[in-house]
Amino acid sequence: QVQLVESGGGLVQAGGSLRLSCLASGSSFTINAMGWFRQAPGKQRELVATITSGGITNYAGSVKGRFTISRDNAKNTMYLQMNSLKPEDTAVYYCHAFGPTFGSWGQGIQVTVSS
């Protein structure tokens, strides 16, 4: 089983920046792709960005140009650099990873952007 732990969330003013991290741990696992999702109150969970083991990225249109996803395979860690944050980016952000034998979610971390 693979465990995912997010860190780096918090409260920031509109226009500010935050960097989220997601650390994967477990025994004998291979990660194919990782991604960030978010869920705002009263809304469905939505995809924010994904990255494959080869570094191919994909972004939701609402964050393209403002957010950057990256990963350090040696450290089993994924990052989400969030710039020019807007109040509508306020949500619980979840890390997701999957491989040949698993699919896992983190517990989620709150990001709040004040206007």
Side-chain angles (χ1 to χ4, degrees):
Q1 190 173 359
V2 176
Q3 293 79 42
L4 303 175
V5 178
E6 302 101 336
S7 61
L11 173 65
V12 64
Q13 288 188 331
S17 298
L18 281 175
R19 188 195 195 203
L20 303 182
S21 299
C22 173
L23 173 64
S25 62
S27 60
S28 302
F29 62 93
T30 298
I31 297 176
N32 288 347
M34 301 182 76
W36 291 97
F37 292 73
R38 67 186 182 187
Q39 188 167 17
K43 295 187 177 180
Q44 290 189 330
R45 191 172 298 189
E46 63 177 2
L47 182 146
V48 176
T50 61
I51 185 167
T52 68
S53 58
I56 298 173
T57 59
N58 181 54
Y59 295 92
S62 59
V63 306
K64 195 171 294 185
R66 299 188 297 123
F67 291 10
T68 302
I69 189 171
S70 61
R71 61 190 284 183
D72 184 333
N73 292 331
K75 296 181 179 179
N76 289 324
T77 302
M78 175 180 64
Y79 306 96
L80 185 68
Q81 178 66 44
M82 305 184 292
N83 298 329
S84 302
L85 282 161
K86 304 175 180 180
E88 50 264 43
D89 294 318
T90 296
V92 177
Y93 284 70
Y94 296 89
C95 170
H96 177 61
F98 73 89
T101 60
F102 78 97
S104 296
W105 290 92
Q107 79 285 355
I109 192 164
Q110 179 70 44
V111 171
T112 303
V113 185
S114 63
S115 57

